[in-house]
Amino acid sequence: MRVELEIWRQASQTAKGAFERHVVDDATPEMSLMELLDRLNDQIVGQGDEAIQFESDCREGVCGACGVTVNDDPHGPVPNTPSCRQHLRSFGEVRKLRIEPLRSGAFPVIRDLVVDRSSLDRVIRAGGHVDVAAGTAPGADSLRIPYEEAELSLDFAACIGCGACVAACPNGSAHLFGGSKLAHLALIPHGEQERGRRAEAITETLDAEFGPCSTYGECVKVCPAGIPLSAVAAVHKERLRGVFRGRDN
Amino acid sequence: MPSDTVMAMTELKEAAARSQRRAPSSFALKQVMAITGIIFVAFVVIHMIGNLKVYAGEDSFNTYAAWLREVGYPLIPKQGILWALRVTLAVSLVLHMASAITLWARGRRARGRHRRRGMKGFSATSARAMLPGGVVIFVFIVVHLLDLTIGAIVQSGTYQGPEADGTVHAYANLVASFSRPWMAIFYALTMVIIAFHVEHGLRTVLQDLGATGRRFRKLWTILGGIVALAIVLGNAAIPILVLTGVIA
């Protein structure tokens, strides 16, 4: 099957990018977006040109490395699915794909479809971790967490950090990402001694590097981990809690 | 200088520019928007309930209008509550608008050069309408005050302000104003815009004030829809009924 592609090419962060047209004649319905790009790169390299740069790793939707914008949709036309799990068979009659990087001011393009998502790492560095007492492992029953709470916390922990929520947001907000981290860590006793400090650090980093949330709700449509919109509310819930409490915990 | 060093430097500079602490924080501005927004929704709902007196006839409506000017008297001086509310609403309006514009500018900057395209769906559409809708609502507030409170520039030919003895002509002013078709249509259309603004605003309040509970969020969303619907039905009906001669 024939697929017409418009692909964003950009030589470096400072270079001006532009779309480049390509045609893949031997695409198959079972090809994922990544496999389609692989096929195209074979073609391009065969002609002696530079391959299109893009990121991907596990190709089974768990690592968060991949992510391109397809016809204006971060990750592609299938909702809540990472780029590597989007197959041509699910695109219906669409045979023309415009593929560009995940777009946001916080994600400068490094090359072609590869963006620098270290702004997300800075959110994690600010507060997406817990202080633990090192030493002998505690007894398995010494820290009791109800099953429902553990499950809910793990639902928020499912975020793979791909950054599609930021690319989907017209405000370039990372509240779904930051909120999933805050909600995940607020629901379990680990690291509760720094709950207030964490909320402050994460909110400040979100404020400094990303935009505000206006409840467009676009982030939840693309999130491959299915993080709900209540994660966004968790950002301000945790921050307000910290403000009124005025303590580290 | 090697080009990768130049690039690293630009990157550092850009990162520094991005991570500048801004005052007031977006978090603080969102709190301001949520609280002032709730004040406005409460005001609009109470205003709408007051407007319903128009269905009970001229006397009922005018008595209510006159009462507003002397609530709490003699404990509170005449017009005391009225002016307290006016000042609260005016301050809220300035804060709400200043925050909205600041946040909008920050969102645009954070998004960068490549705008989000191809958004579909109710939430995205009403979110996009918030700022332009807000501008329309601001224009409406100015027109509404000039038309029925101050009686200047856009008022009807027969406008009469309150008398010294406390008699008001609110009903006659309202009927005279809405007998002008363009004014009646402007009022009715603005109510539809306000309804969408309120519906989306109330849903955003959940996010801003940090309501994460699943049941509460559902309940609040439904409640927001009902409030928005009540505003349209209660208010927009009045100019239409005046225009069609039912209220005269």
Side-chain angles (χ1 to χ4, degrees), chain A residues 45-222:
Chain A
V45 172
Q47 292 161 2
D49 293 325
E50 284 270 342
I52 296 160
Q53 303 291 310
F54 65 95
E55 271 189 279
S56 81
D57 192 2
C58 73
R59 300 209 176 185
E60 54 184 1
V62 294
C63 77
C66 70
V68 291
T69 305
V70 183
N71 296 348
D72 296 332
D73 292 321
H75 275 322
V78 184
N80 302 101
T81 308
S83 293
C84 64
R85 303 301 304 148
Q86 303 234 4
H87 301 91
L88 296 182
R89 59 170 178 264
S90 35
F91 294 0
E93 292 306 303
V94 181
R95 294 286 176 270
K96 283 184 184 173
L97 305 176
R98 196 178 61 237
I99 301 181
E100 53 188 315
L102 292 178
R103 298 292 194 188
S104 176
F107 294 165
V109 174
I110 297 171
R111 183 158 184 178
D112 297 340
L113 304 174
V114 181
V115 294
D116 175 3
R117 287 172 282 189
S118 54
S119 48
L120 295 179
D121 299 339
R122 287 191 286 277
V123 175
I124 299 300
R125 203 187 298 158
H129 46 76
V130 294
D131 289 347
V132 290
T136 325
D141 290 332
S142 61
L143 200 58
R144 289 163 185 241
I145 308 168
Y147 175 77
E148 284 78 14
E149 268 176 44
E151 281 296 317
L152 192 58
S153 174
L154 287 173
D155 284 348
F156 287 112
C159 168
I160 55 175
C162 63
C165 50
V166 180
C169 180
N171 291 340
S173 169
H175 274 54
L176 197 75
F177 173 78
S180 71
K181 214 48 62 186
L182 281 168
H184 154 213
L185 294 175
L187 285 160
I188 48 169
H190 310 81
E192 62 187 4
Q193 70 277 8
E194 55 196 320
R195 189 171 163 185
R197 191 153 32 98
R198 177 188 306 122
E200 183 178 4
I202 286 193
T203 318
E204 277 185 0
T205 314
L206 289 178
D207 263 12
E209 302 208 30
F210 300 93
C213 170
S214 304
T215 327
Y216 280 83
E218 289 293 301
C219 50
V220 293
K221 293 185 194 165
V222 300

Side-chain angles (χ1 to χ4, degrees), chain B residues 99-210:
Chain B
S99 305
I101 291 163
T102 311
L103 288 167
W104 169 76
R106 284 182 187 177
R108 272 181 78 87
R109 201 169 343 134
R111 172 68 197 187
R113 218 154 47 82
H114 300 272
R115 301 269 163 245
R116 178 73 211 279
R117 291 180 306 254
M119 283 189 292
K120 293 177 281 280
F122 179 75
S123 195
T125 309
S126 52
R128 219 168 349 169
M130 284 309 261
L131 200 80
V135 171
V136 174
I137 295 167
F138 175 69
V139 170
F140 169 78
I141 292 168
V142 173
V143 170
H144 186 37
L145 287 176
L146 287 172
D147 179 27
L148 291 173
T149 306
I150 301 164
I153 310 171
V154 297
Q155 84 282 31
S156 59
T158 56
Y159 178 86
Q160 281 175 286
E163 314 273 351
D165 65 353
T167 327
V168 294
H169 307 281
Y171 189 89
N173 290 340
L174 177 142
V175 172
S177 178
F178 292 168
S179 300
R180 298 169 297 175
W182 56 269
M183 192 54 108
I185 290 164
F186 176 59
Y187 267 77
L189 287 180
T190 309
M191 285 313 133
V192 177
I193 290 168
I194 288 180
F196 280 107
H197 200 86
V198 164
E199 197 280 333
H200 191 82
L202 283 176
R203 257 186 307 125
T204 306
V205 159
L206 279 177
Q207 309 293 67
D208 294 343
L209 298 185

Side-chain angles (χ1 to χ4, degrees), chain A residues 195-197 199-200 236-249, chain B residues 27 31 35 208-210:
Chain A
R195 189 171 163 185
R197 191 153 32 98
E200 183 178 4
H236 284 184
K237 180 189 184 178
E238 288 299 305
R239 183 69 189 110
L240 281 169
R241 181 188 170 277
V243 167
F244 285 115
R245 206 169 156 79
R247 294 192 217 150
D248 275 356
N249 68 351
Chain B
F27 165 71
Q31 297 306 312
I35 293 160
D208 294 343
L209 298 185

